[in-house]
Amino acid sequence: MSQTDTFLKQQKMSQETAEAMAKAPGDYVMLTGDRPTGRLHLGHYFGTLVNRVKFQQEGVHTNIVIADYQVITDRDSTDEIHDNVLNMVIDYLACGIDPEKTMIFTHSAIPPLNQLMLPFLSLVSESELLRNPTVKAEKEASGHALTGLLLTYPVHQACDILFCKGNVVPVGKDQLPHIELTRQIARRFNERFAHVFPEPVGILTKAVEIPGLDGRKMSKSYGNAISLSATEEETAKLIKKSKTDSDRNITFDPEGRPGVSALLTTAALTTGRAEEDIAKEIGDAGSGALKAYVTESVNSYLAPIRERRRELERDIPYIEDVLADGNRRALDVAQATLDEVREAMGMVY
Ligand code: TRP
């Protein structure tokens, strides 16, 4: 199947599953997660966090992995990992993730999850691993030689999803190859040993790419991201130095005017208005006026989230409890699945 056909098939499956999930949310187990490499930003917020909260509220069984082992796929240091993990929990809670409803855990704390890696690795071939487009792109971006962990992390991601029998995985388009591999691993395991795993479906988030302040995809590594944890002043400064152009008449034209258009999209997302309407209202007032408008909309939108963030930051023992509790629950789930796996493989002695 060509790449386009595969994508169309995945898109269709995503849509159908999202519709089915809306009808019977309790039948679905969502697993998704983030690498704790920094603070979450508006791109994460509108790209995935809003959706996670929505599924949580609708009654889907929601689980979030803070993928700490994935950090060392392409970097050497874990110096900031502890701080990043706690701040990630703070970001989630500030955005409306409820730890009573959603299990939040770090995969390094769940040995039986990681042990699934061994049987799963036996189910994939070297060439399947080598042709994963995300792995290839990340290898190039890292500037490193391909490490064994980077090569095999999609299999580890399958462990993240399958240990809790996740059947829906909200992700961006770049993660779809990993979901496809997870489905193959589940299918091969079930065929070879016994039926243990569902074949999970990737749920494509609607805003597939949020533009950063320079019109490129919002990403911490491009320095174009507005973090949820930034102060109002930092937000204003970031927006002020974002690249626009010299045409004073503000129009929405993502191809021709990426900078101006990214600002308009940011304002649209945070006010619920259409980009064109905002552009028309600002008219000839120039990018200074546009930037002032964007700063005001982003800061007002984020004000309650930031307020809640500040409260949570003052109670780190609570944050640690949330994580310890999530890890305890995830450990039980993982142990039960590993028991089934060993039973299916005749490895109970
Ligand atoms: N690789 C994902 C990312 O970089 C994070 C992640 C880790 C994940 N484990 C996962 C996403 C399992 C979905 C399911 O965004």
Side-chain angles (χ1 to χ4, degrees), residues 279-349:
K280 210 183 273 168
E281 184 177 291
I282 295 176
D284 285 327
S287 54
L290 173 62
K291 287 178 177 180
Y293 183 82
V294 177
T295 304
E296 164 59 23
S297 0
V298 170
N299 281 338
S300 331
Y301 187 88
L302 290 180
I305 293 175
R306 287 170 169 167
E307 176 56 34
R308 176 128 176 76
R309 225 191 163 282
R310 277 190 293 272
E311 278 166 30
L312 291 162
E313 261 173 351
R314 276 185 236 117
D315 195 357
I316 295 298
Y318 169 70
I319 301 300
E320 288 169 340
D321 278 353
V322 164
L323 194 53
D325 181 57
N327 280 341
R328 243 186 326 265
R329 282 153 62 199
L331 186 61
D332 287 346
V333 173
Q335 192 57 58
T337 302
L338 182 63
D339 287 347
E340 274 184 75
V341 162
R342 292 174 60 206
E343 175 81 40
M345 297 176 77
M347 290 180 170
V348 182
Y349 311 110

Side-chain angles (χ1 to χ4, degrees), residues 31-35 65 67 70 153 157 160-161 169 171 175:
L31 181 290
T32 188
D34 304 286
R35 298 205 303 161
V65 60
Q70 245 182 52
Y153 96 85
Q157 194 157 316
D160 295 345
I161 298 167
V169 189
V171 281
Q175 298 288 307

Side-chain angles (χ1 to χ4, degrees), residues 131-152:
R131 66 168 177 256
N132 182 303
T134 306
V135 168
K136 276 195 210 158
E138 285 173 16
K139 173 186 174 266
E140 263 140 49
S142 78
H144 281 231
L146 181 61
T147 65
L149 187 61
L150 182 55
L151 180 65
T152 55

Side-chain angles (χ1 to χ4, degrees), residues 110-120 162-165 189 196-197 331-345 347-348:
I110 323 295
L113 179 159
N114 294 303
Q115 193 175 327
L116 292 176
M117 186 78 171
L118 291 167
F120 286 3
L162 294 177
F163 94 97
C164 64
K165 304 198 177 169
F189 186 96
V196 173
F197 296 110
L331 186 61
D332 287 346
V333 173
Q335 192 57 58
T337 302
L338 182 63
D339 287 347
E340 274 184 75
V341 162
R342 292 174 60 206
E343 175 81 40
M345 297 176 77
M347 290 180 170
V348 182

